[in-house]
Amino acid sequence: MTRPSTARRPVFVAGRGAVSGFGLGVKVLCDGVFTGQTALQPRARTGHHNVATKFVGEFPAGMFSHSIAEHDLPRHTSLVATEEAFAEAGNPGRQRMGLVLATTKANMSGICGKGHGLGSPMFLARQLSSDLKLGLPPSALSAACASGVIGIATAARRIATGECDTMLVLAVDIINEFILKGFGGMGALDPERCRPFDHERRGVSLGDGAAAIVLTANERDSIGIRVAGYAGANDACHVTGPDYDGLGIGLATKRAIAHAGLHMTDIDLIHLHATGTRSNDKSEAIGLGNAWANVADKTPPAFGSKSQTGHTLGAAGCIESLLAIAGLERSCVPKNVGLETMNCDERLNLPTTVRELTRANHALKIASGFGGVQGAVVFSA
Amino acid sequence: MKSATILGCGIVDETGIAGTRGITATWSNLDMVAPGTAKTMRTVFDKEDATFRRIDLLARALILACEAADLENVLTVEQRQDTAICVETDLGALATDVNFAASLGDECVHAGIFPYSLTSTSLGELALRYKLRGPTISMSVRDDATGSERDPALAGESLRETLRMLACGDVKHVVAGVVDAMLEPAAGKPAIMRAVVTIVAAPEHSSGIGTLEWPDGSSDPFAQFISMCR
């Protein structure tokens, strides 16, 4: 899989922020995931909705000093995550900074209530851009559950083309009745905590999430991580089910690694999509197994984290990118929580205990979404 | 790269279907309501599509626009393997959202339409039919706070992203455009039927029919495609 070599400006990560079921901050998130904890708890805020699952990864009750309405959570938590990311990035200038907002449904308050949000990501993007006093017009995209990864690629492209030097990627989604009953109606929810790749897996667990990533063209502002490559693909097979051969995820993976100018064997760890649905896990394992088939018996060590944070939908790609970066920084792959008996293509290398890495230079993050959408991004230390 | 080569265009609107394939049909002549049924595919394009009437309005409008743009002849099967889809929308899946939300109080929600509450699903129908295996991006350009008026500064974002993808060499071809399809007013937004699709390539492509320039926000960025179709 070769791609034309095109002069692109390098893109670096300058700052990170997150709000998740583990609470406020990237460190809380990463410590929770890398020590094998789970934020999936009995439903509280969403407990009154009649859906067939007990557990979700809601933001912890009382996390904020004042009560915030559910439909205001996307905006509020996006700003909190941004504040953390800007602090790590050294409070970069905002006049020439753009925003890419990645989400599935943004604010639904006008559809499921009397608010103003009609599910338009741009509505939230404009609010956030105004709140943050960003100088460049915002962009907003929805690529289903691959939104976060596609958002990173979209923002990186702005810098790569020289359009601007700094970009903020925000990815956010909050579970609500619309989403819970949608996934519930499709029979896609695990009644208990989800168990990706396990023989007993029965579906996904959902979660709240917001993540912010500041990207920069200036290496001196970097945290030592580069967005080395990114790519997308489409299964072109079925709009809600995956390709049984994992063609799309394999294509996105190989394209992103080639985009980074790397070989398959250069990748040291993978953060998976790993929803816990029978078909998605199966096709993801086959697709990645096939992608590495010509160079190795097994893939690089891989992990998922939806059994810990819940599936944060449009935010997942960014939250999980932070975890992929943490894997590089910590030189290890955490255990796959909930996995006891693997029931997928065994070429997918899934540690059930913490795996220390002898080399941690390049991490791959992959994501999939409705519509056959696939995204992949490579981070390099 | 501030420009690209246009290889084909197609539109579907309240009037009918038209495109650089040379097809012009009106809904009144077809005795059909936009965006048609499987019969539309048979009548206008001599093509069978067994699931056409079961998919959502956004996907139907986009598919007809792609047919009018002659997508399958403009791009080879091999080229389509890494052709991107980049489409923007004002209303997104608002009609589906409203319909699904109305079922939330029922004992059994309308789960069959839930996937179409995401516009990426509609774009997936396009990818599936034409085997477009490049990146798929759905961009939102409506700010609910500004009512139904399109903000010229935001309109055309799909075209700008298309030019960026081509400039970076990330893809060689993109199916770009805009889609909004709602038969009746919903949530205070008026009914609308518009799908404009253009197939574009990097500017070194020699056999184009026009040039896509960087939308500067001063005018409707999709007007040139409409004039190329009719």
Side-chain angles (χ1 to χ4, degrees):
Chain A
M1 184 75 53
T2 56
R3 310 212 107 210
S5 174
T6 305
R8 306 191 314 263
R9 291 205 306 169
V11 180
F12 302 92
V13 176
R16 298 161 289 179
V19 186
S20 69
F22 284 104
L24 296 172
V26 174
K27 185 173 188 309
V28 169
L29 165 71
C30 296
D31 285 350
V33 168
F34 278 75
T35 56
Q37 300 170 52
T38 180
L40 296 181
Q41 301 296 333
R43 289 190 285 130
R45 190 189 76 235
T46 60
H48 58 291
H49 301 310
N50 181 23
V51 286
T53 186
K54 294 177 191 162
F55 295 95
V56 290
E58 293 173 0
F59 294 138
M63 183 169 66
F64 301 111
S65 59
H66 56 291
S67 174
I68 298 167
E70 186 175 82
H71 66 258
D72 286 332
L73 282 171
R75 184 178 185 179
H76 186 80
T77 54
S78 293
L79 293 173
V80 170
T82 301
E83 189 177 355
E84 183 186 11
F86 278 1
E88 184 176 41
N91 290 308
R94 303 183 191 187
Q95 196 54 39
R96 295 290 304 158
M97 185 187 294
L99 165 68
V100 170
L101 175 70
T103 178
T104 59
K105 299 306 294 179
N107 181 342
M108 299 283 286
S109 61
I111 293 171
C112 298
K114 294 180 178 175
H116 298 290
L118 298 176
S120 168
M122 180 52 79
F123 178 46
L124 180 59
R126 289 277 281 243
Q127 287 179 324
L128 291 168
S129 185
S130 173
D131 292 340
L132 295 165
K133 298 181 171 53
L134 303 183
L136 299 180
S139 291
L141 63 86
S142 175
C145 301
S147 297
V149 164
I150 305 282
I152 292 170
T154 303
R157 206 174 279 123
R158 303 273 169 92
I159 294 174
T161 54
E163 214 174 305
C164 59
D165 291 337
T166 317
M167 288 293 297
L168 171 64
V169 187
L170 273 172
V172 64
D173 261 315
I174 308 297
I175 47 177
N176 54 31
E177 183 184 16
F178 189 98
I179 289 166
L180 273 169
K181 289 189 173 175
F183 279 91
M186 294 177 71
L189 295 177
D190 192 315
E192 305 289 332
R193 292 185 176 94
C194 71
R195 303 178 62 179
F197 299 103
D198 190 81
H199 180 71
E200 299 295 330
R201 70 185 185 277
R202 288 184 287 178
V204 69
S205 298
L206 300 175
D208 297 328
I213 300 178
V214 178
L215 300 180
T216 178
N218 300 314
E219 187 168 11
R220 66 178 181 277
D221 298 330
S222 163
I223 59 167
I225 297 292
R226 187 163 58 93
V227 182
Y230 41 84
N234 196 299
D235 276 340
C237 173
H238 191 280
V239 292
T240 56
D243 181 320
Y244 288 120
D245 292 328
L247 179 66
I249 202 67
L251 271 177
T253 291
K254 290 195 277 191
R255 285 171 179 169
I257 293 170
H259 195 250
L262 299 173
H263 297 291
M264 300 299 286
T265 50
D266 291 327
I267 298 299
D268 302 311
L269 69 95
I270 305 172
H271 190 295
L272 301 160
H273 192 53
T275 60
T277 63
R278 298 203 76 81
S279 56
N280 181 83
D281 290 359
K282 182 179 178 184
S283 77
E284 187 171 10
I286 292 171
L288 292 174
N290 288 342
W292 264 271
N294 290 336
V295 293
D297 293 336
K298 278 185 172 283
T299 69
F303 71 109
S305 52
K306 290 183 174 70
S307 57
Q308 299 168 279
T309 62
H311 188 351
T312 58
L313 307 174
C318 277
I319 285 182
E320 295 167 3
S321 287
L322 300 181
L323 294 167
I325 291 169
L328 293 178
E329 292 177 330
R330 298 175 186 217
S331 291
C332 72
V333 171
K335 72 174 185 179
N336 283 275
V337 171
L339 174 60
E340 291 176 6
T341 306
M342 187 172 174
N343 181 26
C344 286
D345 190 323
E346 294 194 354
R347 293 176 298 172
L348 182 59
N349 183 354
L350 290 174
T352 51
T353 57
V354 176
R355 175 85 55 88
E356 302 293 335
L357 300 174
T358 54
R359 188 188 73 179
N361 296 329
H362 307 289
L364 171 72
K365 169 62 202 147
I366 55 176
S368 307
F370 281 167
V373 182
Q374 312 290 335
V377 59
V378 176
F379 297 98
S380 297
Chain B
M1 186 189 299
K2 294 289 186 184
S3 66
T5 302
I6 299 170
L7 305 178
C9 310
I11 63 167
V12 170
D13 59 15
E14 294 91 343
T15 306
I17 309 165
T20 49
R21 178 175 176 168
I23 288 215
T24 302
T26 63
W27 297 115
S28 58
N29 285 344
L30 293 169
D31 196 20
M32 291 175 194
V33 176
T37 64
K39 188 180 166 193
T40 319
M41 290 291 276
R42 279 196 301 274
T43 306
V44 183
F45 300 110
D46 194 23
K47 208 169 176 182
E48 292 294 331
D49 189 329
T51 59
F52 189 82
R53 65 188 292 270
R54 295 209 301 265
I55 61 177
D56 75 320
L57 300 180
L58 297 176
R60 281 194 234 172
L62 282 169
I63 289 164
L64 291 177
C66 284
E67 288 294 329
D70 207 11
L71 175 57
E72 286 179 304
N73 286 314
V74 168
L75 297 179
T76 65
V77 171
E78 188 181 9
Q79 286 170 329
R80 281 182 265 149
Q81 284 293 313
D82 62 0
T83 294
I85 303 172
C86 187
V87 173
E88 68 188 58
T89 175
D90 277 14
L91 298 178
L94 182 59
T96 303
D97 289 345
V98 169
N99 286 337
F100 182 75
S103 78
L104 289 177
D106 300 343
E107 201 154 299
C108 185
V109 296
H110 197 163
I113 64 170
F114 176 68
Y116 291 102
S117 69
L118 296 169
T119 45
S120 61
T121 304
S122 310
L123 303 192
E125 296 283 3
L126 210 59
L128 193 158
R129 277 164 177 75
Y130 300 105
K131 302 302 174 200
L132 302 171
R133 292 202 164 96
T136 304
I137 307 176
S138 166
M139 311 209 74
S140 163
V141 292
R142 184 196 76 225
D143 181 348
D144 295 328
T146 59
S148 59
E149 292 296 316
R150 284 171 66 84
D151 183 339
L154 299 177
E157 190 57 22
S158 61
L159 303 178
R160 286 185 282 269
E161 191 60 24
T162 291
L163 291 168
R164 291 182 191 110
M165 282 194 275
L166 294 171
C168 286
D170 294 349
V171 294
K172 292 177 181 170
H173 302 92
V174 184
V175 175
V178 60
V179 65
D180 283 291
M182 205 159 73
L183 296 179
E184 296 172 355
K189 305 294 181 189
I192 183 171
M193 183 58 59
R194 178 171 79 149
V196 183
V197 158
T198 180
I199 307 161
V200 296
E204 61 267 23
H205 203 288
S206 57
S207 56
I209 57 171
T211 303
L212 168 64
E213 302 287 352
W214 184 265
D216 60 7
S218 61
S219 58
D220 181 353
F222 296 97
Q224 68 164 315
F225 308 123
I226 296 170
S227 62
M228 290 170 88
C229 293
R230 285 203 172 106

